[in-house]
Amino acid sequence: MAVPTPRGVPDGPAAPPLPSGLAELLRAQLEAVADQVEEEVRGQVPEYARPADGTYRRNLRAGVVQALSLFVDHIADPRGQGDAIAATYYELGRGEALEGRSLDALQSALRIGGLHAWRLMGRTAEELELDSAVVAALGELAFRTVHEVAEAAAAGYAEAQLRSTDELERRRRRLLDLLLGDGPVSPEAVHDLAHGARWPVPRHVAVVALAATPEQREEDRPLATAGALVDMESRPPRMLVPDPDGAGRFGGRAFALALRGRPAAIGPTVPLAAAAQSLHWATRALGLMGRGILPRQGVVRCADHLSTLLLHSDEPLLARLEARVLAPLDGVSDGQRARLAETLLAWLLSGSNVPDVAARLHVHPQTVRYRLRQLEKLFGDALHDPGTRLDLILALRAGELREPSVLTPATKNMESLNSRP
């Protein structure tokens, strides 16, 4: 691994020659200096104040010795790059990241250790009564040494973080694909993948289907709810949320703000093994939102619209039901059809109470009675058959959801369904 040359640090040719034998003299003191530097680091950096034995202590000791060795090697050969020692600090940085510790502690240890080492070795320079230019050159070499090992450690830390994050995302994506796939879900496979993805396995989940945007910009990506598994590349984008009924999970504005304004549908809460069912209904609800049957904007909860989802779960069959039970209305004008259908649905839902129908429709009771006489002529005794009344409610309610203001003939609905790709 090549170590970048620090900017602003004088290179070998510009520095005055160093006394022969200085490198060996300092190398003889290296172990004693390492003891004091290690003690200084452990005393000033809390993260390194660990028990005096074990692997962690050995790694700290090895790092101090190698940094001091790199300094002495630079004195012996100012053009030496110290690749092996830099590689050691690269691995040290990686180890800190993999252990979940911050880079700040390691960088503090390097600065404190480097400063203390220079103080100790500077005494030797004073005892030898070296020229001030030589002492300055030694100081520059000390700075170069600290800079090199710090850069190597930072590079290792960054690489480990990147790989760890990417690998974690890949594992979570595989877990999400397993949970939302078409095949059976093996509890053992789920637990194995969840362990590798650092994802606590919940008992219940809900899937959120998100409206797709023409361009996937980073600033438009939803802020994932804590613990959620997210796949923004699927169509539609989806988010699996653990323990969805927990306090504040989908609460009010907070969840809507996290979605950054995207319309979304929340599937029913289901056991983990049934997550694909929650996705199915969330996707269905999102489609109904796009058609205006459910609210187009905001967040729609499937649990609040179960009857609408049930009604539209088989739309070709629903169209046939509408065509059959609403056939008596096909012979009237569109305007008259809308008024009669509106009155008939209100009458069926109000228990055949004319004053209630009039109040619901904001018309005179006599107007309601007039329309009911027309409906009696069109439908006859079928209006009083319980089975037919249920079919009429379903068909009329479907039409009302699809087009609140105008109920067009059911045959037109069938044609539009059959013409869809």
Side-chain angles (χ1 to χ4, degrees):
M1 173 189 137
V3 179
T5 302
R7 293 188 296 272
V9 179
D11 207 350
L18 299 176
S20 60
L22 177 59
E24 293 307 314
L25 179 62
L26 292 177
R27 201 182 302 277
Q29 301 176 13
L30 195 144
E31 288 294 331
V33 172
D35 290 339
Q36 296 185 53
V37 170
E38 179 188 350
E39 184 177 352
E40 184 75 7
V41 169
R42 287 168 53 82
Q44 292 201 40
V45 184
E47 289 83 352
Y48 288 84
R50 299 213 174 175
D53 54 4
T55 304
Y56 199 82
R57 168 71 182 275
R58 289 194 297 273
N59 290 341
L60 174 60
R61 172 71 179 190
V64 170
V65 170
Q66 295 223 31
L68 293 173
S69 298
L70 178 59
F71 173 61
V72 174
D73 289 344
H74 277 319
I75 295 174
D77 180 8
R79 291 188 174 277
Q81 293 297 304
D83 286 352
I85 295 174
T88 297
Y89 272 82
Y90 185 87
E91 290 303 316
L92 183 59
R94 288 186 74 255
E96 293 295 284
L98 295 175
E99 289 294 326
R101 290 187 289 268
S102 74
L103 182 61
D104 293 341
L106 179 56
Q107 299 286 34
S108 294
L110 291 175
R111 288 193 298 271
I112 291 169
L115 180 60
H116 193 66
W118 170 241
R119 288 191 188 123
L120 296 174
M121 290 188 166
R123 294 174 189 169
T124 300
E126 292 176 0
E127 292 171 359
L128 294 176
E129 298 181 351
L130 298 178
D131 182 82
S132 59
V134 174
V135 174
L138 287 173
E140 289 170 353
L141 281 176
F143 173 73
R144 175 180 173 181
T145 301
V146 172
H147 190 97
E148 286 184 3
V149 297
E151 271 202 339
Y157 190 93
E159 186 268 348
Q161 273 202 321
L162 179 62
R163 288 198 177 185
S164 177
T165 300
D166 289 348
E167 179 61 24
L168 195 63
E169 286 300 316
R170 283 192 292 270
R171 292 178 181 181
R172 292 193 168 191
R173 181 70 63 83
R174 289 199 298 271
L175 175 60
L176 185 61
D177 289 343
L178 173 65
L179 292 172
L180 300 182
D182 296 329
V185 178
S186 163
E188 293 79 10
V190 169
H191 279 80
D192 287 347
L193 278 177
H195 177 75
R198 301 179 191 173
W199 191 70
V201 178
R203 295 183 61 185
H204 294 90
V205 296
V207 178
V208 181
L210 304 164
T213 58
E215 296 181 4
Q216 289 283 14
R217 299 180 303 174
E218 187 64 29
E219 58 267 27
D220 294 333
R221 293 177 68 88
L223 304 175
T225 303
L229 301 178
V230 181
D231 182 2
M232 294 302 297
E233 307 306 321
S234 65
R235 287 293 179 268
R238 56 202 188 181
M239 179 188 303
L240 185 144
V241 180
D243 300 319
D245 298 329
R249 181 67 80 183
F250 293 129
R253 285 178 52 82
F255 184 71
L257 289 173
L259 295 180
R260 298 183 187 270
R262 279 180 184 250
I266 303 173
T269 297
V270 296
L272 180 63
Q277 295 180 17
S278 185
L279 172 63
H280 169 77
W281 290 113
T283 304
R284 177 62 59 87
L286 193 65
L288 296 178
M289 290 172 67
R291 293 163 53 191
I293 294 173
L294 290 176
R296 291 182 182 275
Q297 300 299 321
V299 179
V300 168
R301 300 168 182 268
C302 288
D304 298 335
H305 301 277
L306 294 178
S307 60
T308 301
L309 289 167
L310 176 62
L311 199 57
H312 290 82
S313 61
D314 189 334
E315 299 211 43
L317 190 60
L318 175 61
R320 292 183 181 278
L321 174 66
E322 291 181 81
R324 182 176 65 80
V325 299
L326 298 180
L329 295 177
D330 288 348
V332 302
S333 67
D334 286 351
Q336 187 180 15
R337 177 190 179 90
R339 291 190 294 272
L340 291 177
E342 179 185 51
T343 302
L344 179 56
L345 180 59
W347 181 71
L348 291 167
L349 294 177
S350 64
S352 307
N353 187 299
V354 171
D356 285 352
V357 175
R360 183 191 292 256
L361 301 181
H362 304 289
V363 297
H364 195 279
Q366 191 60 33
T367 302
V368 175
R369 293 188 182 93
Y370 171 74
R371 293 178 184 175
L372 288 175
R373 286 194 294 271
Q374 290 181 293
L375 289 167
E376 287 279 1
K377 290 179 183 178
L378 293 171
F379 287 90
D381 293 339
L383 287 181
H384 304 286
D385 176 70
T388 301
R389 289 166 71 100
L390 176 60
D391 289 347
L392 283 168
I393 290 173
L394 294 175
L396 292 166
R397 177 60 177 156
E400 182 186 52
L401 289 169
R402 185 168 51 250
E403 188 125 14
S405 58
V406 178
L407 290 172
T408 55
T411 52
K412 293 182 180 180
N413 296 331
M414 288 191 66
E415 289 173 4
S416 64
L417 284 170
N418 293 333
S419 65
R420 289 177 189 166

